Amino acid sequence: MPSNQPSFPQGPRIYNLFPTLLGPIERWTERLPEIAQMGFDWIFVNPFHLPGQSGSLYAVKDYYRLHPALSGDSDLSDDGDDDERLRAFTKAASDAGIAVMMDLVVNHTALDSDLVTEHPDWYVHDDDGSVHSPSATDLDDPEIVTVWEDLAQLDYSERPEREAMIDFFSEVIRHYTALGFSGFRCDAAYQLPGKVWQVLIERAREAAPETRFFAETLGAPPDDIEQLRPAGFDYLFNSAKWWDFRADWLLDQYQRFRDLAPSIAFPESHDTTRLAEESDSDSRESRFWYLFAAVFSTGLMMPIGYELGFRRGLHVVETRPQHWEEPSFYIRDFIAQVNAIKAETPVLNEEGAQERFTAADEPMVGLLRRSHRQAQRSAVLINPDTEEAQEYSRDRLTDVLDCAADQLQEITPASNDGANGEAGKPNAEKTGEGTANDSPASAIHLPPRSLRIFIANH
């Protein structure tokens, strides 16, 4: 785990290192100084195991063998050498103050995994006796069903075979904690019974008490998330990336599950379209969404290349080192400022009660968050409009925070006020986004597509 922890618990600041974009593990290590300089204290690595015939990272054929694209140029090729490569990486990350989590895919395997033939009774079977491939129904159009024919769905129903399955994956977890992995991002965690996760997590912590478990629950029915309560997850991922800043669903989700586990937000993920692609490389959008993710949730995550305005999506089959792009902008300094502010502000590191203090139809969006550990509150003013600037009364804000004017402190990070960096050169960061335009009449000014963050200590 990272050293030099502050006096209050910190939420994770996660850099998602997509393994096949960098290639051999030695190249992962080369990125560590830059990741550390941006203020991340966790690295999340997508599956790096040997995949099945489809080549998908999430179609794991063998949990103990490395993806062939990641072994490097060395003549060494046995499993022990792969383990040493991983151990060297987690050690280097730890020396840089960064913990490493890996993707734990235990809801399915590759259809051509040896487990399918060795343990057919571990799997769900169709009526014709064939191993069942998982599927997903489009939420907007139930007639659209995607079947992942390269996958075989594991059966965790309560039956004698379940104990052997738990034993197998407990050993997988112990293997990787012994290699220095401090956490596990649990893919589609809601697809396993909470009681199964409870056993897996308890066994893992018997060997490595500080191990952290992160539940991926995106798009899951609420009841499927609820059943995870006894499991003991440390964090879960939320859907803040898809909020329109008007509907109630995100705040309802936050309130319902904040006592199950604190949440992690992200501006984009390896599954989504790149934000720089959607915005035609407008760095203002990338800064806006990163800052929102940082102030909304206990933790935040960012995929590799976000800081450089990469536009090509990450692909679980196709992505390779040759897909590394020329940056369309640089916001590494801004990312570092946001991460530093988050790390230093207690209320932003816990899932305290959070509510909207502006009306749903107001152009400005205001979120009030309260610490339950100490007398600190935050108020975030958001202008989601892409064209029009907005203003908010400073007196009204002090009322919201229940503080005197001299107790109001702004912690908004520096910004380059919407200008894109020239490709190949860092942006010249400027301080005080919007503050120079505040009116003498105590109005707080927000440019289009911007946030300002205020805190008060009582």
Side-chain angles (χ1 to χ4, degrees):
M1 300 296 290
S3 59
N4 302 320
Q5 291 293 314
S7 58
F8 57 88
Q10 282 193 338
R13 302 180 302 280
I14 306 166
Y15 187 87
N16 177 196
L17 188 157
F18 199 80
T20 54
L21 181 61
L22 292 181
I25 294 173
E26 291 79 5
R27 296 181 188 171
W28 307 0
T29 305
E30 295 171 3
R31 308 298 302 181
L32 289 173
E34 183 176 303
I35 296 170
Q37 288 169 6
M38 286 188 286
F40 292 100
D41 60 356
W42 279 89
I43 287 175
F44 157 52
V45 186
N46 304 83
F48 46 76
H49 316 292
L50 179 70
Q53 187 173 6
S54 71
S56 170
L57 300 183
Y58 286 85
V60 178
K61 179 179 176 68
D62 190 324
Y63 290 89
Y64 294 102
R65 295 174 62 191
L66 196 64
H67 192 298
L70 307 177
S71 292
D73 299 327
S74 171
D75 293 334
L76 303 175
S77 60
D78 62 46
D79 296 343
D81 298 323
D82 288 343
D83 284 351
E84 288 310 308
R85 291 184 179 97
L86 291 167
R87 193 193 310 274
F89 172 68
T90 61
K91 173 63 165 58
S94 179
D95 291 345
I98 303 172
V100 183
M101 78 174 80
M102 57 171 275
D103 227 327
L104 184 64
V105 184
V106 298
N107 54 314
H108 58 247
T109 69
L111 186 61
D112 54 340
S113 168
D114 290 343
L115 293 175
V116 175
T117 54
E118 293 172 0
H119 302 284
D121 53 351
W122 287 10
Y123 291 85
V124 177
H125 291 265
D126 291 328
D127 293 339
D128 63 1
S130 61
V131 174
H132 178 76
S133 294
S135 62
T137 302
D138 190 289
L139 295 177
D140 297 323
D141 187 350
E143 294 186 2
I144 300 177
V145 179
T146 301
V147 179
W148 290 287
E149 296 180 352
D150 61 331
L151 303 180
Q153 185 171 337
L154 288 157
D155 182 359
Y156 285 95
S157 60
E158 199 164 350
R159 57 204 181 89
E161 293 82 0
R162 187 163 84 174
E163 188 60 35
M165 297 166 66
I166 292 174
D167 289 344
F168 176 85
F169 286 111
S170 293
E171 186 55 40
V172 170
I173 293 169
R174 279 194 294 267
H175 177 80
Y176 285 104
T177 55
L179 295 182
F181 288 87
S182 301
F184 297 87
R185 181 260 196 189
C186 303
D187 185 56
Y190 59 93
Q191 294 184 5
L192 272 66
K195 292 180 180 179
V196 171
W197 281 119
Q198 184 177 15
V199 176
L200 290 171
I201 291 172
E202 287 176 351
R203 289 185 182 179
R205 289 179 176 153
E206 288 174 2
E210 297 300 311
T211 306
R212 299 287 179 258
F213 285 82
F214 303 73
E216 190 273 296
T217 56
L218 299 175
D223 288 347
D224 288 354
I225 301 175
E226 286 285 354
Q227 63 92 23
L228 294 175
R229 284 189 179 274
F233 280 104
D234 296 284
Y235 299 95
L236 56 82
F237 291 87
N238 66 41
S239 302
K241 186 243 181 317
W242 292 277
W243 196 34
D244 65 357
F245 299 99
R246 300 300 172 198
D248 293 331
W249 64 264
L250 180 62
L251 290 168
D252 292 344
Q253 179 191 86
Y254 178 97
Q255 178 62 27
R256 177 168 181 173
F257 297 119
R258 69 186 183 89
D259 63 340
L260 188 158
S263 68
I264 298 168
F266 50 87
E268 70 180 31
S269 76
H270 74 273
D271 284 324
T272 68
T273 302
R274 288 283 200 179
L275 193 56
E277 175 65 19
E278 292 181 332
S279 67
D280 196 21
S281 298
D282 182 355
S283 70
R284 178 181 64 174
E285 280 294 294
S286 295
R287 293 194 312 278
F288 175 84
W289 280 103
Y290 189 79
L291 184 55
F292 172 65
V295 300
F296 182 78
S297 306
T298 298
L300 76 159
M301 181 179 71
M302 181 193 84
I304 186 171
Y306 186 90
E307 70 276 22
L308 301 173
F310 282 7
R311 298 180 59 151
R312 185 187 183 110
L314 297 164
H315 196 285
V316 297
V317 176
E318 299 173 359
T319 294
R320 291 294 184 271
Q322 59 264 32
H323 298 139
W324 189 266
E325 303 172 42
E326 285 296 319
S328 58
F329 55 72
Y330 293 81
I331 57 169
R332 288 177 295 202
D333 290 346
F334 178 78
I335 298 293
Q337 292 171 41
V338 174
N339 287 348
I341 288 168
K342 185 170 181 65
E344 296 164 0
T345 308
V347 71
L348 300 182
N349 286 276
E350 60 182 279
E351 213 82 345
Q354 186 164 208
E355 64 191 58
R356 178 165 45 193
F357 60 83
T358 52
D361 59 353
E362 283 189 65
M364 189 85 76
V365 179
L367 297 178
L368 174 66
R369 189 159 155 195
R370 299 178 177 87
S371 170
H372 62 264
R373 299 191 187 106
Q374 55 187 288
Q376 186 178 73
R377 299 179 180 183
S378 68
V380 179
L381 292 174
I382 306 170
N383 179 9
D385 196 282
T386 58
E387 302 293 338
E388 299 292 330
Q390 303 293 338
E391 291 189 343
Y392 193 85
S393 165
R394 189 174 295 271
D395 291 339
R396 185 178 173 191
L397 187 63
T398 57
D399 288 343
V400 168
L401 286 169
D402 190 23
C403 69
D406 60 358
Q407 293 178 302
L408 186 66
Q409 179 185 358
E410 180 166 11
I411 60 169
T412 307
S415 167
N416 54 5
D417 299 324
N420 284 320
E422 181 180 350
K425 297 181 181 179
N427 284 332
E429 304 284 2
K430 303 177 183 178
T431 58
E433 178 175 352
T435 55
N437 295 320
D438 284 355
S439 76
S442 195
I444 298 170
H445 180 85
L446 274 86
R449 218 60 171 158
S450 66
L451 286 76
R452 290 179 67 174
I453 313 160
F454 300 83
I455 59 170
N457 298 297
H458 294 269

